[in-house]
Amino acid sequence: MFNDIVTSPETGTPQGGILSPLLSNIVLNELDWWVASQWEMMPTRVDREYSKTDKKGNVVIDRSQKWTMLREKSELKEIYIVRYADDFKIFCRDYHTAKKTYTAVVKWLKERLSLDISEEKSGITNLKKNYMEFLGLKIRAVPKGKKFAVKSHMTNKAKNRAKKKVAESTKRILNHNDQKSLDKNISLHNSLICGLHNYYKMATHVSADFAEIGYPIQKMLSGANHNSRQCSVEKSGEIRSRFIADNYGKSKQMRWIHDRPIIPVAYGRNLSYKIKLQ
């Protein structure tokens, strides 16, 4: 709507529409293969790709020897693409390569797919100096010995959104009307916490982020015995859920209301991964 006049767009897909991510994958699949063809899938005279099994039993393709040969024998620029629907990042070794790749991708998208990028959301970031944001995470590269490692957190926007959601969910628990609403609100609260942990656990420093989110929540629960509902919060109780017992049972921040366990925001086993860069 503009100037009280409703118009229907003739191009694009609705933001938030369930079909939009699928259409993005269909259209931008060609971009993935084009970028991969510039380095990852570049054909060589000698086949140096090997199948191997990782620790989880999955079969993966090892192209490390092929890439080592390309680095030593060619003048190709090493680039990799990571994409989720219409949001993607292309990783390069240096600024000069990044600048040329940025220009080439913008031109390719326009000429090949008739797509324009968002200049406001696009740019080049030196990960050794600054964070970049991607899918609710902020990521940078930090020195670790003679190499670099990934340092990642929740973005400030994502963290503030999580704080608000968890606080509202906790308030609904503490201001329940009856046992039925209490059970429902605790179940929804626990699902919310599990969802946040499951998504953001890929960040290497997510434990610090959840500690910040969880601090005011623990204060709310600690003072819950004096609220208007006389909601008694206990520090011990029985955990009947195997999932909660396995992932949160050892936490000293576990709380119970009417024998229902409340998952702590600031605690979770295996919350973060360690990722090394070559």
Side-chain angles (χ1 to χ4, degrees), residues 12 38 40 117 143 190 216 229 263-264 267:
Q38 306 303 302
E40 291 183 80
I117 69 164
N190 287 345
R229 301 284 181 184
I263 293 177
Y267 179 88

Side-chain angles (χ1 to χ4, degrees), residues 136-155:
L137 303 178
K138 58 180 184 180
I139 306 165
R140 66 171 298 182
V142 295
K144 189 168 185 179
K146 295 182 179 180
K147 297 182 179 181
F148 282 85
V150 170
K151 179 181 180 181
S152 53
H153 285 274
M154 298 172 66
T155 63

Side-chain angles (χ1 to χ4, degrees), residues 41-83:
M41 304 302 295
M42 174 63 66
T44 58
R45 292 182 181 180
V46 181
D47 185 8
R48 293 179 179 269
E49 298 183 4
Y50 303 93
S51 297
K52 65 179 184 180
T53 304
D54 63 14
K55 294 180 179 179
K56 295 183 178 180
N58 300 315
V59 177
V60 295
I61 304 299
D62 183 0
R63 300 188 177 93
S64 57
Q65 291 191 33
K66 171 183 176 179
W67 295 335
T68 298
M69 185 179 69
L70 286 174
R71 293 186 191 104
E72 295 174 350
K73 305 294 184 180
S74 76
E75 295 183 359
L76 295 174
K77 303 303 181 183
E78 187 174 356
I79 60 175
Y80 302 92
I81 184 171
V82 179
R83 183 177 64 81

Side-chain angles (χ1 to χ4, degrees), residues 164-179:
K164 183 178 179 181
K165 285 184 176 181
V166 175
E168 291 174 349
S169 179
T170 305
K171 288 178 182 177
R172 284 194 291 271
I173 292 174
L174 299 180
N175 293 285
H176 64 281
N177 294 317
D178 49 42
Q179 186 64 40

